[in-house]
């Protein structure tokens, strides 16, 4: 069984509205240049903006994601698990 005991390490930091650092990410649900949806330890997080891109992704060591681009909004949608039993978008396409 996978250990997901880093729930107290979830952090969302937006610097200058164009660089976002997130920890405690479990999976990438979807992404494009206008919205990135992440499953986090604190629920599903939607980052919306313009010219968004994932600069860094490390789901193994604390679930760290770095996003660049102009941020318009960051919204927590709900506490829910992925419909694919914990497998994120990237894991599903790279299997």
């Amino acid at each position: 069984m996978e250990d997901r005991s880093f729930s107290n390490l979830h952090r969302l930091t937006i610097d200058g509205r164009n660089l976002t650092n997130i920890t405690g990410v479990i999976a990438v649900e979807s992404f494009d240049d206008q919205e990135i949806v992440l499953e986090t330890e604190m629920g599903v997080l939607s980052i919306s903006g313009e010219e968004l891109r994932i600069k860094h992704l490390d789901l193994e060591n604390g679930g760290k994601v770095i996003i660049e681009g102009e941020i318009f909004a960051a919204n927590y949608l709900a506490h829910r698990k992925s419909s694919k039993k914990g497998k994120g978008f990237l894991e599903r396409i790279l299997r």
Side-chain angles (χ1 to χ4, degrees), residues 6-71:
F6 53 85
S7 62
N8 63 344
L9 297 179
H10 176 64
R11 178 170 286 160
L12 168 65
T13 307
I14 301 173
D15 294 321
R17 213 174 154 183
N18 60 12
L19 182 66
T20 304
N21 289 282
I22 307 162
T23 59
V25 176
I26 297 168
V28 177
E29 294 290 322
S30 65
F31 66 93
D32 61 31
D33 65 340
Q34 296 180 346
E35 181 181 47
I36 298 173
V37 180
L38 307 168
E39 181 182 352
T40 76
E41 288 289 325
M42 301 300 293
V44 176
L45 174 62
S46 170
I47 305 288
S48 59
E50 215 170 65
E51 296 181 21
L52 299 178
R53 60 199 166 277
I54 296 175
K55 180 179 178 182
H56 177 80
L57 175 64
D58 183 358
L59 298 178
E60 299 298 318
N61 300 305
K64 184 171 184 177
V65 176
I66 298 174
I67 298 170
E68 289 184 332
E70 188 173 3
I71 306 299

Side-chain angles (χ1 to χ4, degrees), residues 76-91:
Y76 287 94
L77 304 177
H79 268 293
R80 72 168 176 82
K81 293 293 180 191
S82 171
S83 62
K84 295 289 184 177
K85 298 187 185 206
K87 291 198 176 194
F89 174 76
L90 291 178
E91 288 175 300

